[in-house]
Structure formats: C-alpha cells, structure tokens
C-alpha cells in the first residue's frame, strides 16, 4: 500500500485505497490527481514526493467526495500548491457542507459529519477550464458526482476517478453511489471504447482495457433498475424500496451507507420516471412509486 508506480515517462500513481495520480511537468515539479481521505494520507503522499525530490505545484481533484479531497488542506498548507477541479466541484471542495446536505437531502444530522462523508475544507485556486497544466487533458465523466472529471496525461494514461469500479467492489457493494444515472450511463458509453496505454480508476487495479469492466458496471445498473421495476408493481415508498434493495443484495449498512443508498435510489427513480417506466402517486400524505400503469 502507498507504493509509487511509474506508468509513463511523466506519469506515476500511488497505489492506495484511493489511487493518487502524479504527473511531472518538469524534472522537479509535479501535479497530483486527488489527495486521499484524510491528512494522514496527505502526509504519506508528501513523504513520497519529498523522497523523490519533487515539489507539488498543484492538486487536480476529479471530484469533491471526501476520499478524493481530504488530503488537500494538509498538502496545500505545506506546499502552497494550487487546487484545481471543475468549477462546480470547486464549490463543494470549498464548502463541504453542500456535499453532505445533498447526500442527506437537507441540513444533515451531526452523526453524518464524519470523515467518511464530510470532507475537510480546502481552498481551490483555479478550474480545469483555466488552470490545467500543459500535458494534461480533462475528460467529462460526470454521473457519480455533479461534474466529475477524468484526466488523460501526455503518456496516454487515463485517470478515471469513480466512473468505473472493479467487479470485486461491485460484488461487495453493488449499489454504487450515483448522482445522475443518465449521466452515469452516458459516461460508461463514452469511455467504453477509449484506447490508451493504461486506465487507472480510483478504486480499482490499473487496467490495460476497460471494455469488460464497463460492461460489468453497466449491467449492474440495469440489474438494479429491473429490480426496482419489479418491486414497484405494487405501490412502494422510497424507504420501503431502499430496504428491499438492501435486503436483496444482503447489505447490512451503517448510517453513512444508508444515506448514500437513499440518495442513489432517488437517482434511479428519477431516471425511470424520465423514461416513463415508473410513475409516482401522492396519496394520504405519502409518496408512492408504481411501475404497473
């Protein structure tokens, strides 16, 4: 864990629970791609950087989720580096309560203000639109979050953020967090035929080809959709449906995971409603979903 791996002339990554990209823009200066889930990870990243006599000029965050940005503050405090993401994700990086509020659907209870969901605040200094260094290209991979980006390096290496998950992770945690299911599916379609020297998702082994892994992710999404349509042939509330899904996949969740599942099931319902495959019915002050119409 926390092993530095070179994958191109200028491209490296640190293998960790959230893979950290490193791109050298010259002999000494580097940009990081994401920063991990707490300051201790940030400390480990900086040690690797300094052991190689490098200097961090900037951090590019693929998106604002806690496990991708919570090393920002520590690294920025030690290096005065830039922090760059999509301008929408920057709003959440600067104001983590926004992220937690959208997960929860309102002002969150204090029990959710933990490092798993509640990122440490940091201060973005630029956007991918105006501050991305030469040699790097941002790729639209939104769906998992509002405006998640991937990064392609000059070595033809793709850092894909959380657009793709391994089969092992999907089997263990099948209900992957999704903000916008339509965007998520379109992202899978877009990246499926990418050609590159290497693909590095954030929570997956590096891959030479991603087509099969894309199919696994897509198939799981459609499997969940089919389950929802089956389970809503009779009226079902959101909370009833969430329990059915968690029980079906034999998930025994904590509060954090329950809230993320609740948010994700809403994304599925929105997509199915927009596809005219499910309807809602408000009766007796309760909102029901039904696919039998």
């Amino acid at each position: 864990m926390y092993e530095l791996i070179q994958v191109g002339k200028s491209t490296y990554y640190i293998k960790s629970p959230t893979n950290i990209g490193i791109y050298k823009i010259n002999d000494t200066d580097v940009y990081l791609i994401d920063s991990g889930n707490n300051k201790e990870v940030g400390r480990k990243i900086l040690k690797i950087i300094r052991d190689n006599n490098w200097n961090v000029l900037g951090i590019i965050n693929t998106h604002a989720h806690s496990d991708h940005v919570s090393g920002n503050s520590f690294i920025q405090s030690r290096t005065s580096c830039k922090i760059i993401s999509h301008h929408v994700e920057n709003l959440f990086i600067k104001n983590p309560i926004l992220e937690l509020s959208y997960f929860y659907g309102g002002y969150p209870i204090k029990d959710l203000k933990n490092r798993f969901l509640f990122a440490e605040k940091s201060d973005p200094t630029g956007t991918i639109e105006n501050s991305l260094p030469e040699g790097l290209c941002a790729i639209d991979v939104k769906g998992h979050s509002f405006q998640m980006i991937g990064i392609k390096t000059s070595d033809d290496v793709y850092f894909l953020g959380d657009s793709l998950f391994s089969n092992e992770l999907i089997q263990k945690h099948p209900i992957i967090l999704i903000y916008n299911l339509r965007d998520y599916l379109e992202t899978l379609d877009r990246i499926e035929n990418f050609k590159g020297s290497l693909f590095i998702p954030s929570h997956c082994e590096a891959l030479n080809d991603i087509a099969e892994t894309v199919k696994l992710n897509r198939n799981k999404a459609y499997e969940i959709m089919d389950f929802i349509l089956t389970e809503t042939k009779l009226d079902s509330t959101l909370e009833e449906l969430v329990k059915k899904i968690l029980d079906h996949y034999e998930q025994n969740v904590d509060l954090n995971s329950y809230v993320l599942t609740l948010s994700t099931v809403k994304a599925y319902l929105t997509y199915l409603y927009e596809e005219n495959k499910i309807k809602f019915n408000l009766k007796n002050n309760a909102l029901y979903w039904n696919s039998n119409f």
Side-chain angles (χ1 to χ4, degrees):
M1 197 62 69
Y2 298 100
E3 174 189 4
L4 179 65
I5 301 172
Q6 185 170 8
V7 292
K9 179 181 178 182
S10 302
T11 310
Y12 303 69
Y13 77 102
I14 300 171
K15 189 175 182 180
S16 63
T18 300
N19 291 323
I20 307 299
I22 299 175
Y23 183 74
K24 290 178 64 179
I25 63 170
N26 55 46
D27 288 342
T28 58
D29 295 322
V30 304
Y31 274 76
L32 302 177
I33 302 169
D34 290 331
S35 66
N37 67 346
N38 58 54
K39 71 177 181 180
E40 292 308 315
V41 174
R43 196 185 305 276
K44 292 175 181 178
I45 292 169
L46 271 188
K47 183 179 186 308
I48 291 171
I49 295 298
R50 288 168 176 165
D51 285 348
N52 285 274
N53 297 312
W54 295 337
N55 172 58
V56 179
L57 278 189
I59 301 169
I60 303 165
N61 291 128
T62 58
H63 60 298
H65 291 171
S66 178
D67 55 331
H68 294 258
V69 304
S70 289
N72 282 9
S73 181
F74 178 83
I75 295 171
Q76 189 177 50
S77 71
R78 297 299 192 274
T79 66
S80 300
C81 68
K82 301 173 184 177
I83 293 176
I84 301 165
S85 190
H86 189 282
H87 68 271
V88 172
E89 297 291 334
N90 277 347
L91 297 174
F92 292 88
I93 294 169
K94 190 179 181 73
N95 304 282
I97 192 64
L98 297 177
E99 190 96 69
L100 194 54
S101 296
Y102 113 70
F103 287 150
Y104 184 64
Y107 187 75
I109 56 177
K110 61 181 175 59
D111 308 68
L112 293 171
K113 294 179 181 179
N114 57 70
R115 73 181 189 181
F116 181 74
L117 293 182
F118 195 36
E120 185 172 348
K121 175 183 176 180
S122 56
D123 293 314
T125 58
T127 70
I128 58 164
E129 294 88 349
N130 61 29
S131 300
L132 201 63
E134 186 177 351
L136 298 180
C137 175
I139 303 160
D140 178 2
V141 290
K142 61 180 176 287
H144 172 75
S145 72
F146 283 76
Q147 291 288 341
M148 184 169 66
I149 58 168
I151 295 293
K152 179 186 177 183
T153 78
S154 60
D155 295 310
D156 214 21
V157 175
Y158 289 78
F159 290 92
L160 294 175
D162 285 354
S163 61
L164 207 56
F165 294 89
S166 68
N167 183 50
E168 292 75 17
L169 194 147
I170 290 173
Q171 293 305 315
K172 187 176 181 180
H173 303 291
I175 311 149
I176 299 298
L177 175 63
I178 296 172
Y179 164 67
N180 184 316
L181 182 57
R182 187 176 305 280
D183 285 346
Y184 173 78
L185 293 172
E186 288 176 356
T187 286
L188 291 178
D189 290 344
R190 187 163 53 252
I191 69 175
E192 185 171 19
N193 296 313
F194 277 5
K195 303 299 180 185
S197 64
L198 197 67
F199 300 89
I200 306 174
S202 293
H203 306 289
C204 184
E205 295 292 328
L207 300 165
N208 295 114
D209 185 276
I210 58 172
E212 189 60 35
T213 305
V214 168
K215 290 176 184 176
L216 289 169
N217 282 252
R218 182 190 292 115
N219 288 346
K220 182 58 67 174
Y222 279 103
E223 177 185 299
I224 292 171
M225 276 190 264
D226 288 342
F227 182 80
I228 290 173
L229 292 174
T230 298
E231 293 301 318
T232 54
K233 289 187 181 300
L234 297 176
D235 282 348
S236 180
T237 67
L238 171 64
E239 289 76 12
E240 289 169 343
L241 188 55
V242 168
K243 175 171 171 49
K244 290 176 182 178
I245 292 171
L246 291 171
D247 288 348
H248 175 73
Y249 287 107
E250 299 180 341
Q251 301 290 293
N252 185 21
V253 298
D254 59 11
L255 178 62
N256 292 335
S257 295
Y258 181 83
V259 166
L260 296 182
T261 303
L262 192 71
S263 179
T264 297
V265 173
K266 290 178 183 177
Y268 276 90
L269 291 171
T270 296
Y271 177 83
L272 291 170
Y273 178 74
E274 290 176 347
E275 290 293 301
N276 200 34
K277 294 182 178 180
I278 197 169
K279 297 291 186 183
F280 66 83
N281 184 21
L282 183 61
K283 60 182 180 181
N284 298 323
N285 294 325
L287 186 65
Y288 296 93
W289 296 90
N290 192 295
S291 61
N292 187 21
F293 60 91

